[in-house]
């Protein structure tokens, strides 16, 4: 069937042409009188257009270029509008499919909020820990004439205060770290339970609908499509539909709970520092995202959907038709096709690796210089306004804002490629909504009693 010169292919095309010819003949029979009545008028109009064209052939054709450009632009705009409209329809269809899982989305949203709040809370606890590690203890020796700082009168009194204060800070830090650990564990458990369960349930509904649509299709539908492409479509495309429902909600809540809370805390404790640091958030966010991708192994590139000539599709098709392959001695040919498919995806590996490595390096460069700017600006504020801001204010303002950017990178971690998700949604919903020419599951038609 795939061979354009095969007899079965030609027979199938001739059958379809016969059906189309019959429909066209019916239409032509209904409008034959109208065509005959207007035939002479069209013939005269055609000669009139040719005469005008010959009369004005000396004009420069370049005068039509702006009109052609306008036509092309209008066509492009209409196509873009259709694509956007189709994307909105697919997104609404995906949300309708996920409407049953609103309780799971609520549980996942609570977990995303806790997981996002963990990052500014981590910054606050880390600021207290830095202050605790660098707690100043001034020298005191009454025999040598070195008296304790006021309001203490004896060295023993001063040392007791320092010991009690450090002990209290260590206990507070312990409670803070336990709270961070609890928020992290509970938040991520709720995220994986809520959004993960909802995603799997949605995948099952999409795959059931797609498989049901496949069972309804006529034989000619499978003659033009390989088994590997259909199985890959059921496996990979269905898993991307959740990017229109649960994934944006998780990213939004986690980003707001992390960045927004971190910015508010930073403004409360040292607003001039937060005002300058606020301008570095887009650059620092980019750096944090690139760093998280490097640590999580996502900088190696996305594993794209296996196409019809991909290695996975070739392996599946060969194994499903192993008897045919063995009977025709096609083992070496299929092996060569598989090796070519493996090497075709790595043609630009040097260029892509250099690009991804450069992006990660630029992200770390921005982070380092952003931290340097924050330390310099915070030190300058402490030296100029010692009575207004304290060292603790500087640490909390800086680390709450800096650590909240890590939450922005974590929220974007594992995000589905938007373009690939659009293509997957188009293929899935086109398959689900396709009407079969011969539907074996249809309840319509004549039934014998």
């Amino acid at each position: 069937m795939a061979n354009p010169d095969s007899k079965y292919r030609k027979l199938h095309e001739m059958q379809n042409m016969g059906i189309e010819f019959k429909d066209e003949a019916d239409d032509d029979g209904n409008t034959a009188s109208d065509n005959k009545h207007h035939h002479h008028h069209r013939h005269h109009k055609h000669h009139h257009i040719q005469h005008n064209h010959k009369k004005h052939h000396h004009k420069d054709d370049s005068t039509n270029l702006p009109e052609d450009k306008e036509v092309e632009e209008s066509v492009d705009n209409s196509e873009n509008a259709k694509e956007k409209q189709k994307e909105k329809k697919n997104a609404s269809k995906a949300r309708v499919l996920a409407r049953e899982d609103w309780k799971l989305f609520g549980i996942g949203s609570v977990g995303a909020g806790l997981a996002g709040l963990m990052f500014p809370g981590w910054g606050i606890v880390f600021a207290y820990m830095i202050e605790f590690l660098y707690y100043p203890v001034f020298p005191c020796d009454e025999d040598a004439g070195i008296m304790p700082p006021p309001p203490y009168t004896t060295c023993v009194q001063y040392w007791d205060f320092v010991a009690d204060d450090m002990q209290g800070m260590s206990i507070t830090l312990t409670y803070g770290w336990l709270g961070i650990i609890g928020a992290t564990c509970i938040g991520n458990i709720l995220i994986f339970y809520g959004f993960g369960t909802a995603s799997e349930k949605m995948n099952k509904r999409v795959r059931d609908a797609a498989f049901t649509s496949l069972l309804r299709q006529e034989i000619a539908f499978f003659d033009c499509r390989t088994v590997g492409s259909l199985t890959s479509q059921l496996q990979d495309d269905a898993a991307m539909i959740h990017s229109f429902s649960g994934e944006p909600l998780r990213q939004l809540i986690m980003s707001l709970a992390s960045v927004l809370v971190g910015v508010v805390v930073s403004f409360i404790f040292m607003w001039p520092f937060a005002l300058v640091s606020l301008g570095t958030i887009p650059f620092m966010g980019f750096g944090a995202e690139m760093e998280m991708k490097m640590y999580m192994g996502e900088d190696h590139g996305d594993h794209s959907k296996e196409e019809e000539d991909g290695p996975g599709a070739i392996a599946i098709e060969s194994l499903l038709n192993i008897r045919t392959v063995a009977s025709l001695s096609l083992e070496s040919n299929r092996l060569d096709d598989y090796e070519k498919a493996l090497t075709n995806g790595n043609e630009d590996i040097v260029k892509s690796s250099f690009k991804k490595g450069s992006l990660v390096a630029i992200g770390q460069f921005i982070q380092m210089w952003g931290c340097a700017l924050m330390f310099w600006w915070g030190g300058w504020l402490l030296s100029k306004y010692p009575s207004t801001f304290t060292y603790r204010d500087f640490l909390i303002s800086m680390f709450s804002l800096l650590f909240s950017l890590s939450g922005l990178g974590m929220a974007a971690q594992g995000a589905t490629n938007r373009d690939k998700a659009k293509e997957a949604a188009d293929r899935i919903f086109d398959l689900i909504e396709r009407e079969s020419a011969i539907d074996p599951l249809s309840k319509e038609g004549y039934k014998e009693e």
Side-chain angles (χ1 to χ4, degrees):
M1 184 65 188
N3 187 4
D5 297 330
S6 63
K7 295 181 180 180
Y8 182 69
R9 175 75 175 265
K10 290 181 179 179
L11 179 61
H12 179 71
E13 291 178 352
M14 290 176 66
Q15 290 175 349
N16 292 336
M17 288 175 61
I19 296 173
E20 294 175 357
F21 178 76
K22 182 178 179 181
D23 295 338
E24 292 177 359
D26 294 339
D27 296 338
D28 292 340
N30 294 330
T31 60
S33 60
D34 294 336
N35 292 337
K36 184 176 179 181
H37 178 74
H38 294 288
H39 175 72
H40 178 72
H41 176 71
R42 290 200 305 268
H43 183 72
H44 177 72
K45 186 175 181 180
H46 175 70
H47 283 288
H48 180 69
I49 292 173
Q50 286 184 346
H51 177 71
N52 290 337
H53 179 70
K54 293 179 180 178
K55 183 177 179 180
H56 299 287
H57 73 279
H58 63 277
K59 291 185 178 182
D60 188 10
D61 294 338
S62 62
T63 57
N64 295 327
L65 291 178
E67 296 180 358
D68 295 338
K69 291 182 179 179
E70 292 179 357
V71 171
E72 292 178 358
E73 291 178 357
S74 62
V75 171
D76 294 337
N77 293 333
S78 63
E79 291 180 355
N80 293 332
K82 290 180 180 178
E83 291 180 358
K84 291 181 180 179
Q85 186 176 5
K86 189 174 182 181
E87 180 185 353
K88 291 181 180 179
K89 289 182 178 179
N90 291 336
S92 62
K93 293 175 184 177
R95 285 192 288 268
V96 169
L97 289 174
R99 189 176 297 173
E100 302 177 7
D101 304 325
W102 63 271
K103 293 182 179 180
L104 294 173
F105 287 141
I107 295 174
S109 299
V110 174
L114 290 176
L117 289 174
M118 180 268 296
F119 292 97
W122 182 15
I124 295 174
V125 175
F126 190 78
Y128 275 95
M129 189 180 70
I130 294 296
E131 183 184 7
F132 175 73
L133 292 176
Y134 292 93
Y135 193 98
V137 180
F138 300 102
C140 182
D141 190 355
E142 296 178 358
D143 297 334
I146 302 175
M147 300 303 296
Y152 311 104
T153 56
T154 61
C155 292
V156 175
Q157 185 181 5
Y158 172 63
W159 290 335
D160 291 340
F161 169 77
V162 170
D164 294 338
D165 192 19
M166 294 184 69
Q167 183 180 9
M169 289 182 64
S170 63
I171 295 174
T172 303
L173 284 172
T174 302
Y175 291 145
W177 284 119
L178 290 176
I180 296 298
I181 293 172
T184 304
C185 294
I186 296 174
N188 285 279
I189 289 173
L190 293 178
I191 286 176
F192 282 101
Y193 172 74
F195 291 113
T197 307
S199 177
E200 293 302 323
K201 286 188 175 182
M202 185 175 181
N203 290 346
K204 184 180 183 303
R205 287 192 289 268
V206 171
R207 287 172 179 169
D208 290 343
F211 187 71
T212 303
S213 179
L214 284 175
L215 293 179
R216 291 178 179 272
Q217 304 307 317
E218 67 277 7
I219 299 300
F221 175 82
F222 300 95
D223 292 337
C224 302
R225 294 164 179 82
T226 62
V227 177
S229 64
L230 294 176
T231 54
S232 297
Q233 184 175 351
L234 284 175
Q235 177 181 355
D236 300 330
D237 291 352
M240 293 186 180
I241 304 300
H242 76 280
S243 62
F244 295 96
S245 55
E247 185 175 301
L249 184 62
R250 175 184 63 84
Q251 292 179 350
L252 177 63
I253 295 177
M254 197 168 180
S255 299
L256 289 178
S258 177
V259 178
L260 186 61
V261 173
V263 170
V264 171
V265 171
S266 182
F267 267 95
I268 290 175
F269 283 89
M270 186 180 276
W271 68 266
F273 174 83
L275 193 63
V276 173
S277 301
L278 194 62
T280 65
I281 282 184
F283 306 99
M284 297 287 286
F286 171 78
E289 183 178 357
M290 292 296 104
E291 187 176 1
M292 291 304 300
K293 284 186 176 182
M294 180 186 67
Y295 289 150
M296 297 298 176
E298 297 181 10
D299 58 316
H300 296 293
D302 297 328
H303 298 282
S304 60
K305 175 185 175 295
E306 295 178 348
E307 300 177 354
E308 293 185 3
D309 56 347
I314 293 175
I316 293 173
E317 187 177 3
S318 300
L319 293 175
L320 291 176
N321 302 279
I322 190 62
R323 294 183 179 179
T324 304
V325 173
S327 61
L328 299 177
S329 300
L330 297 176
E331 293 88 351
S332 59
N333 293 334
R334 301 305 293 173
L335 179 60
D336 293 338
D337 294 339
Y338 183 78
E339 291 177 352
K340 290 179 181 179
L342 288 175
T343 56
N344 287 337
N346 297 327
E347 293 179 353
D348 298 331
I349 187 171
V350 176
K351 182 179 178 181
S352 61
S353 299
F354 177 78
K355 180 180 178 181
K356 293 164 188 171
S358 300
L359 289 176
V360 174
I362 292 173
Q364 292 183 345
F365 174 82
I366 293 174
Q367 278 192 307
M368 295 300 105
W369 280 97
C371 292
L373 175 63
M374 291 181 181
F375 276 107
W376 173 81
W377 178 241
W380 187 86
L381 290 174
L382 290 177
S383 63
K384 292 295 182 180
Y385 306 98
S387 60
T388 305
F389 305 109
T390 62
Y391 181 59
R392 178 182 294 179
D393 296 336
F394 164 67
L395 291 176
I396 294 176
S397 180
M398 183 180 67
F399 286 115
S400 63
L401 182 61
L402 189 62
F403 281 39
S404 65
L405 298 178
S406 300
L408 191 64
M410 288 294 294
Q413 176 191 347
T416 307
N417 190 306
R418 195 66 178 176
D419 296 332
K420 294 179 181 179
K422 294 177 185 177
E423 297 175 358
D426 291 341
R427 290 190 293 266
I428 283 292
F429 288 115
D430 288 343
L431 174 62
I432 293 175
E433 297 173 356
R434 186 182 187 275
E435 295 183 1
S436 174
I438 305 174
D439 190 355
L441 302 180
S442 177
K443 298 181 179 180
E444 300 178 356
Y446 176 75
K447 296 181 180 180
E448 294 185 359
E449 296 181 356

